[in-house]
Amino acid sequence: MPDDLYQAILDHVNGPHYRAVKPRVLAKKLDVPIDDLAAFRQLIKRMVREGQLAFGEKHLIFPVMPAHPAAKTKGLSRNTSLPRPLSGSGAKGADSRIGSKVPHGRHITGIFRRAKGGFGFVRSQQTPQSAGSDLDVYIPEKNAGDAANGDLVRVRLTGKRGRMGRTEGRIVDVIERQTSRFVGTYFEQAGLGLVRVDGNIFSNPIYVGDPGARGAQPDDKVVLDIVRFPSHVRDGEGVLVQILGQRGQPGIDTLSIIHEFGLPGEFAEETLTDARSQAALYVRDMEKEGDVSDDQIRFLASKETKRRDLTDRTVITIDPVDARDFDDAISLELVENDHWRLGVHIADVSHFVQSNSPLDREAQQRGTSIYLPDRVIPMLPEIISNNLASLQPDQIRLAITAEIEFTPDGARVATETFQSAIKSCRRFTYEEVDTFLAKPKAWTKKLAPDVHRLLGQMHAFAMMLRQRRMRRGALELDMPEVKIDLDSESRVTGAHVEKHTESHQIIEEFMLVANEAVAEMLHDRGLLFLRRVHMAPDPRKLAALTDFVRELGLKTESLQNRFALQKLLHEILGDPRERAVHYAALRSMQRAVYSPEEEGHYALASPCYCHFTSPIRRYPDLTVHRLITAMIHGEPVHQDLEALLILGDHCSEREQRATNAERELVQVKLLHYLEDRLGQPLDGVVTGVENYGLYVAGIDLPAEGLVHIASLIDDYYRYDRASRTLTGSRSRNVYRLGDSVRVEVASVDIERRELSFRLVGHRSRVGKGPGKRGSKKEAPKKKNRRRVAHQHSRKPGKGRGPGQN
């Protein structure tokens, strides 16, 4: 090993933009030869023993934190040198693993994430997203000060253990506000104009000036800028900047969510101009509507010697009935030696979105398309996403093709990627394919023979791939998804279950195998790229899951064995305890993220995985396409690990933002729906157990609400943190995650986004442990008492399953 490597490691790890990584990633960044990796690991361990570095959980490498940070952090920007992550003192002989001891009085800097209960968590800026949640610092509500969700904060570690055994901290400084802009409902009181901010972000209303400021009327939904944030010792103050409209009017709830989450609006003129000019570069006589002719694009393809003409292949798409952006198409052929040749053809978005162009900068900033219940906020302008790049039927379109060869029994033996021109000969919906699979002969006269044959082959081959994936230990963690139904004014009229049928599974298997094949190809060439990382669960959580499952009366080996977990998930199908097991299993899992770190995908049992198949709606896929194009043309590739780490965190955050916004808007629409339905009964399932009550989600209507412990009047209930149960002192009746219950709507508070239920029935479940139940226990009713008392930002209907985790 070079003599100067010791200092090179120190310089790099103590650099201002360093993010914690594992030894293998650090070695690659420092250009350490692969043959010297073992020696490099030994050097890292020596530096840890000498107190120069610190190991975090999962063997992430951290700089050693100074005991007393000298620099004041107020006013730091996100690019300023950061305080060190929590660790031991680093003294020789001391345990330097994070979490072995709780350092008292030390500081970290990170983003504050507030939970519904008022408490929150902060992750050090030097801890990557892929590290999981175990390193997050717990912030009790009383220690949060005036920090709001998403703020960059400085935290002093208290030396105590908090929620779920995490290190506890106190926010001592808000370095940078995520936003000062919020959405709420305007009202007037005592001659003052006030705004009750939506959700439970602030306990008290915000003063916004004299009554009628900016023409606001009581019950208007408004946007305000807070100029003085409230805390436990002072009220907040703000100014109105926009009036959205009267509360309850059609579309106002969606506008409120868009402003609340800072979702992007219309594309800037610069971006639209770039989109138009990109189209004009390749299509000279584009019509006013943006349509293009086959001859023009065929001419384009013929000019590019690297692009293959596949327009004579039988290629089809399968998408949701309401889809407009078709980003993937499939071909499948039997070739020599009875091998299969699968073609996964993905829209060549990189052909139109040039790196660092206005289009690219906007797409990167957005990160993902956002699918709200009543609208789509696209990552790219429609001239690209729904027209030039979309693989529409009977139109020649440009694609990046992953051609993958398999043995007769489905073993992958070769992968080739190249630029192509294709022509989809048929657009199918999932419902059409399900009908075909049920009665293939009935479709003989409806389809061309080659299309009819292709559909049958796709189904057989996809099921073969699925069986192989299950044999290697892949996990199926999906539950039936309930989607709300809307009328013409975007109001809820009901809900329906979206079934994950075999037509969905066909596309899912082909997308998964293409993503994996492309990732392994890039990895084998030694390239850095954004992987889809799903870290293995914390063994302690899997041990707790094992205990939980056994308490339900289910026999299982330790669920730290993935095959034991896979077997359990399969055997529980149709069992009354199925929901309990699935909810508990999902809660034990990490959240999948984007990262260049060489980590696999736990749920898929895949050591190397990325997202390649949806560049129209996901920015990480677009970055993978650019790498492939550079490889095809032999162009040099600039590789920057730190930049990819930052980009991965950004894309992960944008994905989570989209998911949260969709979930919140669904909840708001459901609250409006239930506002006039107090007393309506619902069948539900327990999704959370806390010391203050039960969270219950409806089965037929996906509304989640709280059954407060004070409303459980039949007994005195005690909360057990280890098992996450509420147990009656006298009856020994037990409520736990996944229980089936019947509730009634008790109260609705749309502004605070709160729904309260009253429990009226509790279905029994066979199990052991405290409080075996009878067939059904009805909650007692007082005389004269009135009967009141939840992927990889996903395209709807596509990409369902662990690949989106």
Side-chain angles (χ1 to χ4, degrees):
M1 301 291 288
D3 294 337
D4 59 352
L5 184 59
Y6 191 104
Q7 187 59 46
I9 293 171
L10 283 179
D11 292 343
H12 184 79
V13 171
N14 287 286
H17 305 300
Y18 174 71
R19 300 287 185 97
V21 295
K22 292 188 175 183
R24 176 185 290 271
V25 179
L26 182 59
K28 178 175 286 190
K29 182 62 183 175
L30 296 176
D31 296 324
V32 175
I34 190 69
D35 294 339
D36 292 339
L37 184 58
F40 181 80
R41 292 181 188 275
Q42 291 300 319
L43 176 58
I44 293 294
K45 291 179 180 179
R46 191 186 103 200
M47 295 175 73
V48 170
R49 289 195 301 271
E50 293 174 353
Q52 299 297 321
L53 301 174
F55 270 142
E57 292 198 17
K58 308 182 191 304
H59 279 80
L60 295 170
I61 301 170
F62 286 90
V64 175
M65 186 196 320
H68 301 286
K72 293 184 179 180
T73 60
K74 185 159 185 166
L76 287 178
S77 72
R78 293 184 188 272
N79 296 322
T80 307
S81 181
L82 302 171
R84 305 296 184 231
L86 59 154
S87 67
S89 64
K92 189 173 181 178
D95 185 353
S96 58
R97 286 187 60 82
I98 292 176
S100 58
K101 295 181 180 180
V102 183
H104 173 62
R106 310 260 171 93
H107 296 79
I108 66 164
T109 299
I111 302 298
F112 177 56
R113 300 296 179 193
R114 186 185 290 274
K116 282 188 175 181
F119 59 87
F121 301 92
V122 173
R123 168 172 299 195
S124 168
Q125 282 198 317
Q126 292 178 324
T127 303
Q129 292 273 1
S130 58
S133 61
D134 301 329
L135 300 180
D136 294 352
V137 175
Y138 169 64
I139 309 295
E141 183 177 13
K142 64 182 180 180
N143 290 357
D146 65 355
N149 186 57
D151 287 349
L152 178 67
V153 299
R154 184 171 180 242
V155 176
R156 182 176 64 83
L157 307 180
T158 64
K160 300 177 183 177
R161 287 290 181 188
R163 194 178 184 87
M164 293 178 283
R166 291 190 175 100
T167 300
E168 183 179 295
R170 175 186 295 276
I171 294 176
V172 296
D173 191 16
V174 176
I175 299 170
E176 184 178 331
R177 297 282 184 187
Q178 182 197 40
T179 183
S180 61
R181 186 159 292 189
F182 296 87
V183 176
T185 303
Y186 177 81
F187 69 101
E188 296 172 358
Q189 188 177 74
L192 301 176
L194 301 166
V195 173
R196 185 177 293 107
V197 174
D198 288 349
N200 53 9
I201 301 172
F202 304 119
S203 301
N204 297 317
I206 305 297
Y207 169 69
V208 292
D210 295 333
R214 294 184 65 91
Q217 299 296 316
D219 275 346
D220 274 349
K221 299 299 293 187
V222 299
V223 182
L224 70 152
D225 268 338
I226 294 186
V227 296
R228 185 179 69 190
F229 277 74
S231 69
H232 64 285
V233 296
R234 66 168 188 257
D235 291 331
E237 185 176 346
V239 294
L240 297 184
V241 295
Q242 189 175 350
I243 298 172
L244 302 178
Q246 274 281 299
R247 171 189 178 275
Q249 291 299 305
I252 297 302
D253 52 2
T254 300
L255 282 177
S256 297
I257 292 296
I258 288 173
H259 284 277
E260 177 180 336
F261 284 86
L263 304 184
E266 298 295 327
F267 287 97
E269 187 57 37
E270 179 188 35
T271 304
L272 294 174
T273 299
D274 186 19
R276 297 186 195 106
S277 65
Q278 287 299 323
L281 281 173
Y282 302 107
V283 184
R284 290 178 292 179
D285 299 320
M286 186 167 62
E287 296 177 4
K288 188 174 182 180
E289 294 81 10
D291 294 333
V292 297
S293 70
D294 291 354
D295 289 341
Q296 288 168 330
I297 295 190
R298 185 179 284 111
F299 173 73
L300 262 179
S302 67
K303 289 175 61 178
E304 298 183 21
T305 57
K306 297 289 185 180
R307 191 176 295 277
R308 302 184 193 177
D309 185 356
L310 305 183
T311 54
D312 59 344
R313 285 199 190 176
T314 303
V315 176
I316 65 171
T317 63
I318 305 177
D319 289 276
V321 66
D322 57 350
R324 296 170 63 195
D325 52 339
F326 310 127
D327 49 15
D328 56 83
I330 300 297
S331 63
L332 182 65
E333 301 170 290
L334 272 173
V335 294
E336 296 179 359
N337 302 320
D338 290 329
H339 280 208
W340 293 97
R341 183 171 68 189
L342 172 68
V344 179
H345 314 281
I346 307 300
D348 189 358
V349 176
S350 63
H351 188 82
F352 303 100
V353 183
Q354 303 299 309
S355 181
N356 204 34
S357 65
L359 260 176
D360 181 52
R361 290 194 294 271
E362 181 66 22
Q364 179 177 328
Q365 179 60 29
R366 293 184 177 220
T368 180
S369 293
I370 302 168
Y371 294 88
L372 300 175
D374 53 2
R375 72 177 66 183
V376 176
I377 301 176
M379 185 180 79
L380 295 168
E382 289 193 0
I383 191 174
I384 303 293
S385 62
N386 293 354
N387 193 329
L388 290 181
S390 184
L391 307 181
Q392 298 166 339
D394 301 319
Q395 301 288 327
I396 295 178
R397 290 292 185 257
L398 307 183
I400 299 289
T401 291
E403 200 168 75
I404 313 167
E405 185 178 344
F406 299 85
T407 63
D409 62 351
R412 178 160 46 88
V413 293
T415 302
E416 183 184 12
T417 56
F418 52 87
Q419 293 174 302
S420 63
I422 68 165
K423 185 176 183 179
S424 169
C425 58
R426 181 64 151 82
R427 182 254 168 137
F428 286 96
T429 67
Y430 287 116
E431 292 77 9
E432 285 178 316
V433 175
D434 285 326
T435 304
F436 170 88
L437 295 177
K439 293 182 179 180
K441 290 183 179 180
W443 285 73
T444 303
K445 294 182 179 181
K446 299 179 183 179
L447 299 175
D450 54 346
V451 175
H452 192 282
R453 182 171 56 253
L454 173 60
L455 268 181
Q457 291 176 333
M458 284 172 59
H459 175 247
F461 185 60
M463 295 305 104
M464 183 191 304
L465 293 179
R466 189 174 184 83
Q467 291 173 6
R468 290 184 66 90
R469 192 163 59 84
M470 293 302 115
R471 285 198 295 271
R472 77 184 189 191
L475 304 177
E476 290 289 288
L477 288 166
D478 287 306
M479 294 291 289
E481 188 173 10
V482 180
K483 289 285 189 178
I484 58 174
D485 301 321
L486 305 176
D487 62 16
S488 59
E489 293 186 334
S490 297
R491 292 190 173 101
V492 175
T493 59
H496 66 279
V497 176
E498 285 201 346
K499 296 181 179 179
H500 190 50
T501 62
E502 286 193 339
S503 63
H504 295 79
Q505 293 173 8
I506 291 171
I507 295 301
E508 175 183 282
E509 294 306 321
F510 293 157
M511 298 303 106
L512 292 177
V513 76
N515 286 335
E516 190 171 54
V518 167
E520 290 186 8
M521 179 192 69
L522 296 175
H523 174 81
D524 291 344
R525 299 201 180 197
L527 294 172
L528 291 171
F529 60 98
L530 281 184
R531 302 165 186 255
R532 185 62 165 173
V533 173
H534 187 217
M535 300 291 289
D538 187 324
R540 294 170 296 182
K541 290 186 177 180
L542 290 178
L545 177 63
T546 304
D547 292 340
F548 173 79
V549 167
R550 288 171 178 168
E551 284 182 3
L552 300 182
L554 296 166
K555 294 182 179 180
T556 182
E557 302 174 30
S558 169
L559 297 180
Q560 294 185 43
N561 181 325
R562 70 160 50 250
F563 290 98
L565 179 55
Q566 184 194 57
K567 179 182 177 183
L568 172 69
L569 293 172
H570 176 72
E571 292 179 345
I572 201 67
L573 294 176
D575 188 285
R577 297 162 289 187
E578 179 184 2
R579 288 184 179 274
V581 172
H582 271 266
Y583 274 115
L586 283 169
R587 288 190 170 225
S588 70
M589 297 292 152
Q590 306 272 19
R591 182 166 61 88
V593 297
Y594 295 105
S595 172
E597 295 174 280
E598 293 184 12
E599 300 289 351
H601 196 296
Y602 176 80
L604 291 176
S606 176
C608 188
Y609 191 74
C610 74
H611 277 168
F612 155 76
T613 55
S614 296
I616 287 178
R617 61 188 177 90
R618 290 189 308 226
Y619 193 79
D621 304 51
L622 179 55
T623 67
V624 170
H625 277 229
R626 289 200 177 114
L627 271 179
I628 292 172
T629 301
M631 286 168 41
I632 292 170
H633 291 275
E635 298 170 351
V637 178
H638 176 66
Q639 299 271 270
D640 187 331
L641 178 62
E642 277 83 3
L644 271 181
L645 283 164
I646 293 170
L647 180 60
D649 285 352
H650 168 76
C651 291
S652 300
E653 184 276 327
R654 285 295 190 251
E655 177 189 42
Q656 191 62 38
R657 180 182 71 167
T659 300
N660 292 342
E662 178 188 7
R663 183 186 299 122
E664 198 73 6
L665 181 53
V666 168
Q667 182 74 353
V668 169
K669 287 185 177 294
L670 287 167
L671 289 174
H672 280 290
Y673 177 74
L674 294 171
E675 189 176 23
D676 299 325
R677 290 170 172 80
L678 298 182
Q680 176 172 315
L682 297 171
D683 288 320
V685 60
V686 176
T687 58
V689 182
E690 302 291 346
N691 59 357
Y692 49 83
L694 311 169
Y695 284 101
V696 175
I699 294 174
D700 298 321
L701 194 71
E704 186 175 57
L706 175 68
V707 177
H708 198 279
I709 194 169
S711 69
L712 300 176
I713 59 176
D714 63 317
D715 204 341
Y716 179 80
Y717 285 84
R718 297 182 182 277
Y719 174 66
D720 183 77
R721 183 179 297 276
S723 62
R724 286 298 181 92
T725 57
L726 285 173
T727 304
S729 298
R730 297 187 302 274
S731 65
R732 306 302 294 166
N733 189 39
V734 181
Y735 294 102
R736 55 163 59 90
L737 190 70
D739 276 1
S740 295
V741 294
R742 189 165 177 80
V743 296
E744 288 181 345
V745 179
S747 65
V748 175
D749 188 331
I750 296 175
E751 275 65 49
R752 294 188 63 82
R753 310 271 170 80
E754 291 178 354
L755 172 63
S756 296
F757 289 137
R758 183 173 70 86
L759 194 70
V760 295
H762 186 193
R763 189 176 304 166
S764 70
R765 185 180 61 232
V766 178
K768 63 182 183 178
K772 291 186 179 179
R773 309 181 186 107
S775 60
K776 187 173 182 180
K777 184 174 181 63
E778 294 290 340
K781 298 175 184 176
K782 290 184 177 180
K783 188 175 181 180
N784 297 327
R785 183 175 185 175
R786 188 168 64 137
R787 291 190 62 186
V788 297
H790 202 349
Q791 6 76 159
H792 316 247
S793 68
R794 180 176 76 233
K795 186 176 181 179
K798 178 160 289 190
R800 182 181 173 88
Q804 295 299 323
N805 287 347

